[in-house]
Amino acid sequence: MEHSAFVSREIDSKEAYAMLKSLQDVHILIHRSPDGDCIGGGYALYHLFRQLGIRSRVCCADSIPEMFRDITEGIKFEDFVPQVRISVDVADKKLFGDLPDDDKNAEILLCIDHHISNTHYAKYLHWNPHSAAACEVLFRMMQENDIPLTRELALCLYTGITTDTGCFQFSNADAAAFDAVAKIKSAFPDLPYAQLNREFFVLKSQGRILLDARLMQNIAFAADGRVALMYLPYVWMQELNVSSDEVDGVVNLPMQVIGVEIGIVCKQQQDGSYRVSLRAGDSADVSQIAKHFGGGGHVKASGCSISDGAPEDVCKTLMDTASAFLRGQQ
C-alpha cells in the first residue's frame, strides 16, 4: 500500500463536508478513460462548490465522452491557481494518467471513493467500499448534511449510480443503490431518464457496431468456456473510425456468452501498451487477477495495464492467469 509522509485518515460524511466547505480554488481530479461515475462525481462536486461560492474545476487526462454532454454542456471553468486538490472515484494515483505534473504529483487532500482497492494515497479518505458508486457515497454525504438536491446534482448523481451498476444489472446494485435513485427520481421526476439510459447503454455508432462484430468473430475461450477473451488491436479503431471513448462498453461483450465466468477485453493502445478490463460472473473474483498485473478494482469489475509484449503472448498470459485463478477459487 502506497503512503506519503502522512498517514491517510478515514473521515465520515460530516467531516468530509466540513472540509469541502473550508476549501478555496480546488482542482477535482478524476481518473483517465473517464466513466459515468467519476464524471458524475467530479461535476457533482463542481456544482456543490459553486453553491458554496468556491471556485473549482474538474481535471481529467482524457476527454469526456460525448454521451455525457448533458452533464458538461455549457460549463466553462475559470482559470485559477489551485490551492488544493481532491479526487473522486480514483482508487490509486496511477489512475490519474497523463495529468499535468502539478496535479499528478501534488498532495491529494481528500479522496471520495467506493473502491475496496483504494490505496489510501490521499491525506483524508471518505469512502464506503460497499457502495455501488462514488456518486452514491456523495449522495449519502449530501443527505447526512441536509444538502438539498438541485437538477444539476440529480443528473450527475443519477449518471454515476446507473452507469456503475450497468443500469442495475450488476451485483453491486443493492437496495441502497435503488433507494438513492428512487429518491433522486422522486425529487426530479422530469429528468429524461429513459433518454439517458438509451444513450448510456443502447446507442452505438456504425463503426462501433462493426467493431463489435469483429470482436465477436475473434473471441477466444479457455477453461472449458468459463474464460472468454476479446483482443482489440488499435488498428481496428483507426480502420472503423471508432474513438477510445466508444470502446469502454466492449468489456461487457464476453459476459454475454452463456457459461462465461471471467470476461477479458485486452485493448491495444497507440503506444503499443495494453489496457485490460475484467468482468466476473456469479462466482469469480477478478480483483485478484487485476492485482496480479499491478491493477485493481472490484470483485466483479477490475482492470490493469500491461506495458509491452506481443499481442498473442499477452492474451495467452491473461487467459492462463484467469484460468488458474478460477481453478483456485473453486
Side-chain angles (χ1 to χ4, degrees), residues 175-186:
F178 277 99
D179 175 69
V181 166
K183 287 174 177 171
I184 291 168
K185 294 186 77 169
S186 293

Side-chain angles (χ1 to χ4, degrees), residues 163-179:
T163 53
D164 249 30
T165 59
C167 207
F168 298 93
Q169 296 180 76
F170 303 155
S171 60
N172 62 342
D174 58 9
F178 277 99
D179 175 69

Side-chain angles (χ1 to χ4, degrees), residues 14 30 44 46 79 81 91 170 179 197 203 206 235 245 259 278 284 303 317 322 327:
K14 296 288 186 181
I30 62 176
Y46 163 79
D79 287 327
V81 177
F170 303 155
D179 175 69
N197 289 343
L203 294 180
Q206 290 183 16
V235 68
D245 296 343
L278 302 115
T317 299
R327 288 193 298 269

Side-chain angles (χ1 to χ4, degrees), residues 199-265:
E199 291 179 359
F200 295 158
F201 304 107
V202 178
L203 294 180
K204 298 178 182 179
S205 69
Q206 290 183 16
R208 171 60 198 280
I209 291 291
L210 294 172
L211 180 65
D212 286 1
R214 286 193 189 182
L215 289 167
M216 286 293 195
Q217 288 174 341
N218 290 276
I219 190 169
F221 295 97
D224 298 321
R226 292 177 297 153
V227 173
L229 180 142
M230 292 179 175
Y231 171 61
L232 172 52
Y234 183 75
V235 68
W236 285 5
M237 295 171 59
Q238 292 178 305
E239 290 172 1
L240 297 172
N241 194 29
V242 175
S243 70
S244 58
D245 296 343
E246 293 183 77
V247 299
D248 287 342
V250 300
V251 66
N252 298 313
L253 292 178
M255 300 306 298
Q256 295 176 9
V257 182
I258 293 174
V260 170
E261 296 180 39
I262 296 178
I264 307 169
V265 172

